Amino acid sequence: MKKRSSYWLLSPYLRLQRRHISWGFFWVLIYSAFWPVLATLAGQVSRYLGTDLMMLIQISLWGALAYILQGIAQYGQNTSMAKVAVSIGFDLRQRVYAHLLRLGPAYFAETPIGDLSYRLTGDIDRVSITINNMLHQFLPSVLQLIVVLGNLVYLNWRLTIAVFLIAPLIAVLVGWFGEQVQNQSRRSQNQIADLSSAVTEDFSGIRLIQAFAAEEFTLSRFMNKAEANRQAKYQTERWLAIQHPVLSVIQVSGILLVLVLAGWQVTTGNLSMPGLISYFTSIAMLIDPISRVTSNYSELKQCEASVDRIFELLAVPPTILEKPNAQTLPAITGHIQYQDVSFGYVPDQPVLKHFNLDVKPGEMIALVGTSGAGKSTIASLLMRFYDIQAGSISIDNIDIRDVTLPSLRRQIGTVPQDTVLFSATVAENIAFGQPDFDIAAVEAAAKIANAHQFISQLSQGYHTWVGERGTNFSGGQRQRIAIARAVFLNPRILVLDEATSALDSESEALVQEALERIMLDRTVFIIAHRLATVRKANRILVVENGQVIESGSHSELLKLTNGRYASFHAQQFR
C-alpha cells in the first residue's frame, strides 16, 4: 500500500488561511488568462508587419496593457500567497514550541537540544518557503500549462497531439527523480540535525573542551559529522543535476519534432504564418512553467522530510496531563503527605517503593543519602515533573493530580544546584514568568536573597542584561538571583536541591544566610550531600534505595550506634 503524503498533515493550517488562498487563486486565474491573449497578439504582429504601421502600434499598445495587467495580477498572487506561507510557518512554530513546553523533563533528557532547535527553525523555515513557492510558482505554472495547452489545441489540434505524446514521459521522469531527491533529502535533514546537536553540545561545554586540551579531538568529531552531512547534500544535488539536463533534452527534442511537423503543415497550406507564430509563441510559453514545475516538484519532495520531522515532534504525547475537571489549587498551608508512593523512571526498576512521609506546615525536612537514593525524585514528584505509579501525594489533603499544573507549581519555589538564567534583564529573571511585575516586589525579593547589593552596583542595576545562561555572573551571584526568583511569588513550599554545593566558602555563607531568611514560616525540603546545610532541619531523613532508613534531628541521628547519618557525618567532618 502506497504511503500517504505527509503534506495532508498541513491541511488544517491551509484551511485557516482559506480567505487569503482564495484571493491568491483569483489573481492566479487572471494572471494565467493573459497568456493566450499575448500569444494571439504575437501572431497578429506578423500579419501586419511591413504593411500597416498604425495597426502594429495599436497591437503593441494592447500588448503593453496586457503585460501591465498581468503584472498587477502577479503582484496580487505573490503577496496573497506569501502571507499564507509566512502565517503557516508562524502557526507551526507556535504550536510545536507550545507542545514542547508540555513535554516532561524525561523527554528532554533523551533528546538532543540541537535537533529540537533545528526542527523549530530550519525545518519550519523550509516548509514555509516551500509552501510559498508552491502557491506563487507551482500553482500558476500548472494553470499556465493548462491554459496554454488549451490554446494550442484551439490553434492546431494535430500539432498538439505531438506535445501530448511527450508530456507523460516528462511527468514520469519528474516523479521518479522526485522520489530519489526525497530519500536523499531526508537523509541530509537528519545529518544536519545531528550536526546542529553536536554544535550545541560542544559550545555548551567549551570550558571543559579547552580545559582538557581536547580541541583537536572535538574538531575531528565535528568534521566526521560535517562530512556525513556534506555527502548527503552532495547526493541530493547530484540527482538534481542529472534531472535538469535529462528533462531539457526531452523538452528540446519535443520542440524540434513540433517544429518539423509545423513546417510540413505550412508547406501543405494547413497552417498560416500568423498561426505558426502564435503557436510557437505558445510553445515558448510552455518552457518556463515546465522548468518551474519540475524544480518545484523536486523542492516539494525535499521538504517532505522536514514536514515528517516537524509532525514527529507533535506526535510525541505529553506524559503529564491535567484531568479534564482539574481545579485550581487554593492558597495552601504547606501540609504535604506521601502515601504508599511507588515510582520508577524505568518499568520494573523502582526508585521509590511504598514511600510514606507526612510533613507538617512550616516544617523543615532534610533528605540525605548517596547519589541515586531517590532524594531529588521525591521533590520532582511533588512538582509533578513525573507521575507516580502507585499511591498518592497530597498538599493540604488535596491530591496533586486533581489540580492544574500552573496552580500547583506556582506555590512551590525551587532553588536548584545548577542555576539557569535566561537572556533577559536581572529583574525579568527574578520575576520569571510574570510579564507584568512590580519592580519594588523584585527588589524586596532580591534583598531577602542577599542579592540587592551586588545588583545595585551593576551598570544598569536591575535592568542590566543577563547574557546567555548568565555566564557574566559568578556562581554565588547566580544562586542568589535564583533564590530571589524562588521567593518572588511568596510560595508556601520551598525545595532546595543542593543549593550551596557548588559555591566557595564566601558565597556559601551569603547564600546560606539568604536561605535561612527565606525558610521562615515555609514548608521546606532540603536535598543535600553536605551535612553542614541540614543541621537546623526539624527532621533529617536518610534515604536509601527509595526508603527512609533513619529519621530524626541532627543530634538524635548522631546518637544512633552504627547509624548511616552518623557514618556520613564522620566521613565529612573527620
Side-chain angles (χ1 to χ4, degrees):
M1 184 177 177
K2 189 175 180 180
K3 180 187 172 185
R4 190 175 186 182
S5 171
S6 302
Y7 284 103
W8 70 271
L9 295 168
L10 294 173
S11 56
Y13 300 90
L14 290 167
R15 282 197 294 271
L16 289 173
Q17 303 297 324
R18 53 184 175 271
R19 185 169 69 87
H20 297 297
I21 292 175
S22 299
W23 270 110
F25 271 121
F26 169 75
W27 290 114
V28 166
L29 290 173
I30 293 178
Y31 173 79
S32 301
F34 278 102
W35 289 115
V37 175
L38 293 170
T40 302
L41 290 173
Q44 291 301 313
V45 168
S46 67
R47 183 186 298 276
Y48 299 103
L49 196 63
T51 60
D52 192 334
L53 179 60
M54 292 304 297
M55 187 59 71
L56 284 174
I57 293 173
Q58 186 176 346
I59 292 171
S60 299
L61 290 174
W62 279 112
L65 179 62
Y67 267 116
I68 291 170
L69 294 175
Q70 191 181 48
I72 293 172
Q74 187 175 28
Y75 172 80
Q77 96 182 12
N78 289 352
T79 53
S80 297
M81 298 312 191
K83 188 162 190 175
V84 170
V86 297
S87 296
I88 289 176
F90 175 81
D91 291 343
L92 265 178
R93 186 168 282 126
Q94 184 182 39
R95 184 184 171 194
V96 171
Y97 194 76
H99 180 74
L100 287 172
L101 291 176
R102 295 172 58 220
L103 301 181
Y107 177 78
F108 292 95
E110 299 169 358
T111 307
I113 301 302
D115 178 57
L116 296 178
S117 299
Y118 187 78
R119 295 191 196 208
L120 267 170
T121 54
D123 282 330
I124 289 179
D125 280 344
R126 178 182 280 261
V127 171
S128 181
I129 291 169
T130 301
I131 290 174
N132 189 31
N133 289 341
M134 291 304 106
L135 292 176
H136 94 266
Q137 288 185 15
F138 184 80
L139 176 62
S141 296
V142 170
L143 285 177
Q144 182 178 340
L145 287 174
I146 294 170
V147 170
V148 172
L149 285 172
N151 190 45
L152 289 176
V153 172
Y154 170 76
L155 292 172
N156 193 309
W157 64 268
R158 295 178 182 85
L159 284 178
T160 309
I161 289 175
V163 177
F164 283 134
L165 289 175
I166 299 166
L169 176 60
I170 294 176
V172 169
L173 285 173
V174 168
W176 185 78
F177 276 113
E179 291 298 323
Q180 309 310 312
V181 168
Q182 178 188 354
N183 293 334
Q184 291 299 330
S185 182
R186 182 173 283 110
R187 184 176 158 217
S188 176
Q189 292 297 92
N190 290 333
Q191 293 289 351
I192 194 65
D194 288 346
L195 194 63
S196 177
S197 296
V199 170
T200 302
E201 186 178 75
D202 290 345
F203 288 161
S204 297
I206 189 65
R207 291 175 63 117
L208 186 66
I209 291 170
Q210 293 175 348
F212 280 81
E215 291 91 344
E216 290 298 324
F217 169 78
T218 305
L219 176 61
S220 175
R221 189 173 58 177
F222 172 80
M223 292 305 296
N224 288 336
K225 292 182 181 293
E227 174 62 18
N229 175 59
R230 186 189 73 83
Q231 290 287 350
K233 286 184 72 69
Y234 177 64
Q235 291 302 323
T236 302
E237 293 303 321
R238 278 189 64 192
W239 280 109
L240 291 172
I242 295 169
Q243 172 185 353
H244 291 297
V246 168
L247 294 177
S248 295
V249 167
I250 295 173
Q251 290 177 41
V252 171
S253 300
I255 291 171
L256 291 175
L257 174 62
V258 173
L259 180 62
V260 171
L261 293 174
W264 173 71
Q265 288 211 340
V266 170
T267 58
T268 58
N270 292 323
L271 184 63
S272 66
M273 186 55 66
L276 178 66
I277 298 297
S278 294
Y279 195 87
F280 270 92
T281 301
S282 297
I283 288 288
M285 290 177 178
L286 289 178
I287 296 174
D288 190 46
I290 288 174
S291 176
R292 283 203 301 266
V293 166
T294 302
S295 176
N296 290 152
Y297 185 76
S298 298
E299 182 183 356
L300 196 70
K301 301 308 285 186
Q302 290 183 69
C303 180
E304 195 162 352
S306 292
V307 174
D308 288 339
R309 286 165 49 79
I310 292 166
F311 282 92
E312 279 174 9
L313 285 185
L314 291 174
V316 177
T319 53
I320 307 299
L321 297 173
E322 293 180 351
K323 291 182 178 179
N325 59 346
Q327 304 296 312
T328 300
L329 180 65
I332 59 174
T333 62
H335 181 203
I336 303 168
Q337 290 175 296
Y338 291 76
Q339 295 176 314
D340 202 29
V341 170
S342 294
F343 169 79
Y345 297 100
V346 179
D348 302 323
Q349 295 183 26
V351 176
L352 299 180
K353 295 168 285 189
H354 306 290
F355 179 81
N356 291 280
L357 178 63
D358 192 322
V359 184
K360 298 297 186 288
E363 190 174 9
M364 187 190 306
I365 300 294
L367 303 172
V368 301
T370 58
S371 297
K375 306 184 299 297
S376 295
T377 300
I378 294 169
S380 295
L381 294 177
L382 179 64
M383 300 184 73
R384 277 200 77 193
F385 289 141
Y386 304 90
D387 266 342
I388 58 178
Q389 277 102 38
S392 68
I393 301 175
S394 62
I395 299 177
D396 289 2
N397 297 316
I398 302 172
D399 194 310
I400 61 174
R401 291 169 294 190
D402 294 334
V403 301
T404 61
L405 290 172
S407 69
L408 168 68
R409 292 170 180 170
R410 282 174 184 158
Q411 299 203 55
I412 304 174
T414 180
V415 182
Q417 175 183 358
D418 184 18
T419 300
V420 176
L421 299 183
F422 296 92
S423 295
T425 65
V426 172
E428 288 168 339
N429 268 279
I430 293 174
F432 184 66
Q434 308 299 314
D436 301 315
F437 59 86
D438 181 5
I439 191 67
V442 169
E443 291 183 11
K447 288 175 181 176
I448 294 173
N450 270 349
H452 178 72
Q453 183 176 359
F454 88 80
I455 294 174
S456 300
Q457 294 172 353
L458 297 173
S459 59
Q460 294 179 295
Y462 284 86
H463 301 290
T464 301
W465 189 260
V466 178
E468 186 176 357
R469 298 183 62 83
T471 53
N472 50 339
F473 290 88
S474 70
Q477 289 173 333
R478 289 198 300 271
Q479 203 70 337
R480 280 177 278 166
I481 291 174
I483 293 171
R485 177 193 294 163
V487 301
F488 177 75
L489 294 178
N490 193 26
R492 297 302 308 152
I493 299 172
L494 196 61
V495 176
L496 310 176
D497 191 351
E498 301 284 0
T500 62
S501 63
L503 302 179
D504 57 72
S505 299
E506 183 179 352
S507 296
E508 182 179 7
L510 289 169
V511 170
Q512 192 63 44
E513 180 185 334
L515 291 176
E516 291 176 4
R517 191 179 296 129
I518 69 172
M519 288 189 291
L520 294 174
D521 300 322
R522 288 185 172 91
T523 303
V524 181
F525 279 99
I526 302 175
I527 302 168
H529 283 102
R530 295 166 67 171
L531 304 186
T533 62
V534 305
R535 291 177 176 179
K536 296 181 180 180
N538 300 115
R539 271 190 294 163
I540 300 172
L541 309 180
V542 181
V543 182
E544 273 192 12
N545 298 319
Q547 296 283 345
V548 176
I549 60 171
E550 292 177 8
S551 175
S553 67
H554 172 72
S555 58
E556 290 170 346
L557 293 179
L558 285 180
K559 294 176 183 177
L560 294 178
T561 306
N562 298 322
R564 292 291 288 156
Y565 182 80
S567 174
F568 291 150
H569 189 272
Q571 289 174 3
Q572 290 191 21
F573 297 97
R574 182 175 300 160

